[in-house]
Amino acid sequence: MSSLKHPLAQKQIDITDNQGDEHVVTLTVIQADITTLPLDAIVNAANSSLLGGGGVDGAIHRAAGKELVEYCRTLDGCPTGDAKISPGFKLPAQYVIHTVGPVWHGGSQGEPELLASCYRNSIQLTVDNDITSIAFPAISTGVYGYPIEQATEIAIGSVIDSVKQAAQSGSAIEEVVFCCFSAGDAAIYQKKLETIKER
Ligand code: AR6
């Protein structure tokens, strides 16, 4: 179960990998400042420069210290929908996974696929780096304007699909946290996690 205080909702995903081994992945909704979480990795909703910005990006850079932007300069940016990894420096989390969500233009310009690929590519990096616990903010739902209800559906659906797929390639992931900043967003995530049908 979750290592975090005050989970608002939890769901366990049971996965059997192609070796026949069973994995349990716990999905948890919390309301918190993501920079405080003592998990293996936290995800940053960055922009494609990876050199910092406002919102959760600004909070992560402030808490990690200036070594983070120095490191990010070596990453050569990140296309929308992709993800790159850095150390967490002064954060309690060991790693930061930087992903770039789509800007909302009404939904017909590939936004759902790009948002899903942020979650999928971030989970893929947990496989490559032996990460067992990760927290996501509500990517694209702040400055980038993605409607929260639709973004939440994609976030949870894509994470469930991605952890199932990752288990087939040796993933060690045990816990995925949806870290909401506002009580309103947390309530939407909570409801969605309780009602979502596994695909
Ligand atoms: N912990 C958890 N969630 C947070 C925190 C925090 N400390 N601070 C804000 N949020 P946003 P985007 C929530 O705007 O929409 C930046 O300038 C926030 O309430 O941070 O993907 C980047 O550099 C919202 O629910 O990211 C990009 O230019 C969620 O994080 C651009 O913003 C995402 O809001 C990215 O926009």
Side-chain angles (χ1 to χ4, degrees):
M1 292 302 271
S2 176
S3 56
L4 298 168
K5 291 181 199 141
H6 311 304
L8 299 171
Q10 287 192 316
K11 186 180 182 81
Q12 300 216 317
I13 309 293
D14 299 312
I15 306 166
T16 305
D17 68 21
N18 47 22
Q19 314 288 318
D21 292 330
E22 289 182 13
H23 302 248
V24 177
V25 180
T26 304
L27 310 186
T28 303
V29 176
I30 61 169
Q31 185 190 355
D33 173 355
I34 203 166
T35 65
T36 64
L37 302 181
L39 299 173
D40 289 350
I42 62 170
V43 175
N44 183 15
N47 60 65
S48 57
S49 77
L50 298 187
L51 299 180
V56 69
D57 194 7
I60 288 173
H61 276 272
R62 277 193 299 281
K66 66 176 177 356
E67 294 96 326
L68 181 58
V69 74
E70 283 161 14
Y71 187 93
C72 285
R73 274 190 235 288
T74 68
L75 294 176
D76 199 23
C78 182
T80 302
D82 212 341
K84 293 200 176 173
I85 191 163
S86 77
F89 296 103
K90 295 194 176 110
L91 288 163
Q94 195 182 348
Y95 295 103
V96 179
I97 293 175
H98 306 263
T99 189
V100 182
V103 176
W104 178 254
H105 291 294
S108 59
Q109 298 195 29
E111 295 95 328
E113 296 76 14
L114 287 166
L115 186 59
S117 97
C118 289
Y119 288 93
R120 188 172 58 250
N121 286 321
S122 298
I123 295 286
Q124 186 56 42
L125 284 172
T126 70
V127 179
D128 304 337
N129 293 278
D130 269 344
I131 289 166
T132 65
S133 57
I134 184 172
F136 285 95
I139 300 164
S140 282
T141 66
V143 174
Y144 282 180
Y146 210 116
I148 183 71
E149 294 267 0
Q150 294 170 55
T152 304
E153 177 105 28
I154 290 172
I156 297 175
S158 178
V159 162
I160 291 174
D161 290 348
S162 301
V163 295
K164 286 182 175 171
Q165 206 166 5
Q168 310 304 331
S169 45
S171 169
I173 196 86
E174 293 170 0
E175 179 167 25
V176 180
V177 176
F178 297 103
C179 178
C180 300
F181 204 43
S182 73
D185 289 355
I188 291 168
Y189 264 83
Q190 181 176 355
K191 189 163 171 219
K192 196 69 82 180
L193 189 67
E194 284 164 358
T195 55
I196 202 159
K197 298 223 172 13
E198 279 189 51
R199 297 180 278 187

